[in-house]
Amino acid sequence: MSLNKTLLSNVKQCFGKTTAQCPACEELGADSKGEHLVIYPNGKYACVAYQGDREHRKRIHKLAGGSTEPRRLTLSVRPFSPPPITVIREIGNLEEPHHVYGTKT
């Protein structure tokens, strides 16, 4: 879930991350300095005033979120085929042969 930075106010780059005015705090009349929202390089974001508040994060995403369409992920799946097992060495007597199995390296 990434944010659309064009919908944010007071966007600044600082020490490899982006800070901006939190739209959810702004809606409540807070964050007058415009620095509550932090967006990390991997796209994750947080409001420093409402750390861990799930509802606040949902409100941020609703106000400044990217696409509302769910992302689709396509995976290619191929069947597993184990390497062939060969007899490396036979041990034991002729009446009861025992085999050591493995793969050649």
Side-chain angles (χ1 to χ4, degrees), residues 23-37:
C25 287
E26 178 187 18
E27 190 177 60
L28 299 172
D31 195 11
S32 59
K33 288 185 176 181
E35 58 189 18
H36 286 187
L37 185 64

Side-chain angles (χ1 to χ4, degrees), residues 5-90:
K5 292 180 185 177
T6 61
L7 297 174
L8 299 173
S9 302
N10 199 32
V11 179
K12 296 178 185 173
Q13 292 290 329
C14 183
F15 300 110
K17 59 188 174 195
T18 304
T19 60
Q21 185 175 35
C22 174
C25 287
E26 178 187 18
E27 190 177 60
L28 299 172
D31 195 11
S32 59
K33 288 185 176 181
E35 58 189 18
H36 286 187
L37 185 64
V38 178
I39 306 169
Y40 298 98
N42 63 3
K44 293 184 179 184
Y45 58 90
C47 176
V48 296
Y50 287 86
Q51 295 178 24
D53 188 334
R54 191 176 183 98
E55 293 304 313
H56 194 75
R57 283 180 46 83
K58 286 181 182 179
R59 188 66 187 152
I60 293 169
H61 192 264
K62 186 168 186 151
L63 294 169
S67 172
T68 57
E69 294 293 318
R71 292 188 294 172
R72 291 180 177 240
L73 180 63
T74 304
L75 299 174
S76 298
V77 179
R78 56 189 167 129
F80 173 76
S81 59
I85 297 177
T86 57
V87 175
I88 297 174
R89 174 179 55 188
E90 291 184 14

